[in-house]
Amino acid sequence: AETMPPKLIAHTGMDAMTHAIEAYVSTLHCNYTDAVALHAIKMIHQYLKKSYDGCMEARAAMHDAQCLAGMAFSNALLGIVHSMAHKTGAAYSTSHIIHGCANAMYLPKVIKFNAKDEAAAKRYAEIAEHIGLAGNSTEELVDSLIAELRSMNDKLNIPQSIQNYGAGGVKAETSIIDETEFLDKLPEVAANAITDACTGSNPRIPSQEEMEQLLKACYYDLAVDF
Ligand SMILES: [Fe+2]
């Protein structure tokens, strides 16, 4: 743990954040998973950047936080951020998309998509309030959470979308995931993501067209309004 490279800290930390947030809004969540998920989210929000910067107390806290997130998702399961990360991970000939980095890029897009479900939106708003974000309505709180996660990505040098996915999952001007290949494989990758085991506990089940739109939003950093 003391010798972990910063990139690995960033990716695994945002993976743990995704575990906790997906577990909290999962259709299988319960009081036990809610409690550990919320505390994990608060700890990761507080300590991940400090751990990335080399603080060893923060790194120890991140180990506890990722374990709490693991307790949450091993019972409540996950959602389509993970479905998309699983199925895009090894789909392209030029490079893998690293699991934690994929989650970090896709999570804000999926939150916007899932927030069309009223119950899910309320739960994202609860997360935002729990970590002290501002907002006078459910919608404002959801948008605050999305902005905060994108800000964490920026601070951790994680790209916001696949178009800036450089070698090793570091932010770059040019993506190592070829755009033409991405578009060619879009229907197949979307279909695979829908049938991934993590889709069943997501609060909103996407159609083929919606999953293709979501993946495109994750490539080009497009706004999600569907
Ligand atoms: Fe994961």
Side-chain angles (χ1 to χ4, degrees):
E2 283 160 31
T3 56
M4 273 174 84
K7 197 179 73 183
L8 193 62
I9 290 166
H11 293 162
T12 54
M14 289 308 285
D15 185 31
M17 181 63 111
T18 308
H19 294 156
I21 292 180
E22 292 213 285
Y24 192 70
V25 302
S26 160
T27 56
L28 297 173
H29 75 84
C30 67
N31 289 322
Y32 301 98
T33 59
D34 284 352
V36 282
L38 277 183
H39 196 59
I41 292 163
K42 185 176 251 178
M43 288 181 75
I44 297 164
H45 181 244
Q46 186 175 352
Y47 292 116
L48 177 52
K49 177 63 166 65
K50 288 180 186 141
S51 170
Y52 181 78
D53 290 337
C55 169
M56 288 302 150
E57 289 76 22
R59 198 151 309 167
M62 279 303 301
H63 282 271
D64 285 345
Q66 72 80 24
C67 188
L68 289 168
M71 289 164 71
F73 94 78
S74 58
N75 290 285
L77 306 187
L78 295 163
I80 60 170
V81 180
H82 270 79
S83 304
M84 292 157 67
H86 291 156
K87 301 312 196 234
T88 54
Y92 310 109
S93 59
T94 50
S95 171
H96 273 71
I97 303 180
I98 293 169
H99 177 74
C101 186
N103 286 329
M105 296 188 290
Y106 307 165
L107 179 60
K109 302 301 181 195
V110 168
I111 290 175
K112 197 70 183 174
F113 174 78
N114 283 344
K116 282 265 161 83
D117 177 282
E118 214 177 301
K122 253 192 74 191
R123 294 185 73 78
Y124 290 126
E126 285 166 10
I127 292 171
E129 282 182 319
H130 189 69
I131 58 173
L133 302 180
N136 293 314
S137 63
T138 298
E139 201 185 345
E140 282 182 19
L141 285 162
V142 172
D143 286 342
S144 287
L145 177 61
I146 290 169
E148 185 66 12
L149 291 166
R150 287 177 65 97
S151 157
M152 288 180 75
N153 285 346
D154 279 338
K155 288 174 188 154
L156 299 167
N157 202 30
I158 291 175
Q160 299 292 1
S161 64
I162 304 170
Q163 67 182 350
N164 295 116
Y165 185 88
V170 172
K171 198 162 30 179
E173 277 299 306
T174 321
S175 182
I176 49 167
I177 304 299
D178 181 69
E179 186 182 358
T180 308
E181 187 183 11
F182 176 84
L183 293 172
D184 283 348
K185 290 187 170 163
L186 186 59
E188 183 195 333
V189 171
N192 289 342
I194 291 170
T195 56
D196 186 271
C198 292
T199 302
S201 47
N202 195 69
R204 208 183 148 196
I205 302 298
S207 66
Q208 172 72 23
E209 194 197 339
E210 286 166 341
M211 182 53 88
E212 288 183 21
Q213 277 183 278
L214 262 177
L215 286 163
K216 262 191 181 168
C218 291
Y219 193 99
Y220 299 104
D221 199 7
L222 305 172
V224 172
D225 57 1
F226 48 92

